[in-house]
Amino acid sequence: MKPEKRKSGMNPNQLNQLLTQASGGASSSTGTSSEEVRTVFTNSSDHQWRKTFRNNRTRTAKYTVFTFFPRSLYEQFRRVANVYFTLVAGLSLTDVSPVRPWTTFTPLAIVLGVSLVKEAIEDYKRHQADKKENGREVEVWSRSRRDWKTVRWDQVHVGDILRVTRDQAFPADLVLLSSGTSDGVCYV
C-alpha cells in the first residue's frame, strides 16, 4: 500500500472528508509512486502510546502549597549574605558577642520575610497566568461525533487533530494538514 500524497492547500470539504475517513491509523493507497509507507495514528484514544506522553498543561510556577517554604528558604539561603547574617545572628547568642540577639535576628527576619512574601506574590501571579493559559479553548476533531468540539488547551492530547483559525495562538506543537489560503501556506 502506498500513502496518498496530499497538498496542504485542501479546501475545508476535502479536510472534513479526510477526517471522516481517518479511523486512527489507516493509510490510503494510490499506485503513483514507490514511497515508504508510514502509519500515523491520529485522534485515537484507545492506543497505548498516548498514555506515555505528558499532558498539554502549562506550568511555569516554581512552588506548590507544600513546597513553598522549604524551596523558597533554600533559595534564600543560596545567597551568601543571608548565610553570613544567619551566622552572625547565631554568634550573637553567645556570651562573647557585644550585641544583643534581637538586634541581629530582627533585620534578618525582616529581610527573609519580605523576600518570602515577594516570592509568594510572584508565584501566585504565575499560577494565575498558567490557569488563564490552560483555560484557553481550541477546536478538536471528535471521531465519535464526526464534528469539531471545543476543548481547553490542557485537554489537548498527542495525536489530536486541531483546527486553528487566523490570528489564533497554537496550543501545542502542530503539523499543518491544510491551510485555508489560496496558495496553501501558513504564516507563523
Side-chain angles (χ1 to χ4, degrees), residues 138-156:
V138 68
E139 291 182 346
V140 175
W141 179 256
S142 172
R143 256 183 44 203
S144 60
R145 292 176 28 196
R146 303 246 185 246
D147 195 14
W148 297 100
K149 68 177 180 177
T150 303
V151 298
R152 293 169 24 126
W153 279 16
D154 60 351
Q155 296 170 339
V156 172

Side-chain angles (χ1 to χ4, degrees), residues 16-30:
N16 284 336
Q17 287 175 351
L18 174 67
L19 294 175
T20 304
Q21 293 171 358
S23 60
S27 43
S28 23
S29 66
T30 59

Side-chain angles (χ1 to χ4, degrees), residues 17-93:
Q17 287 175 351
L18 174 67
L19 294 175
T20 304
Q21 293 171 358
S23 60
S27 43
S28 23
S29 66
T30 59
T32 58
S33 69
S34 61
E35 295 180 3
E36 177 183 329
V37 174
R38 181 174 177 188
T39 303
V40 178
F41 295 100
T42 59
N43 213 26
S44 178
S45 60
D46 56 345
H47 289 287
Q48 285 294 332
W49 61 268
R50 281 184 73 139
K51 296 179 178 102
T52 62
F53 293 105
R54 296 188 59 136
N55 60 18
N56 196 42
R57 181 176 298 271
T58 300
R59 184 173 179 268
T60 60
K62 287 187 194 179
Y63 311 110
T64 65
V65 174
F66 301 111
T67 63
F68 176 73
F69 277 109
R71 290 182 85 185
S72 61
L73 284 175
Y74 171 74
E75 289 294 324
Q76 292 304 314
F77 284 106
R78 286 180 57 192
R79 296 185 181 124
V80 178
N82 288 342
V83 173
Y84 171 77
F85 285 112
T86 302
L87 290 175
V88 169
L91 289 175
S92 70
L93 296 172

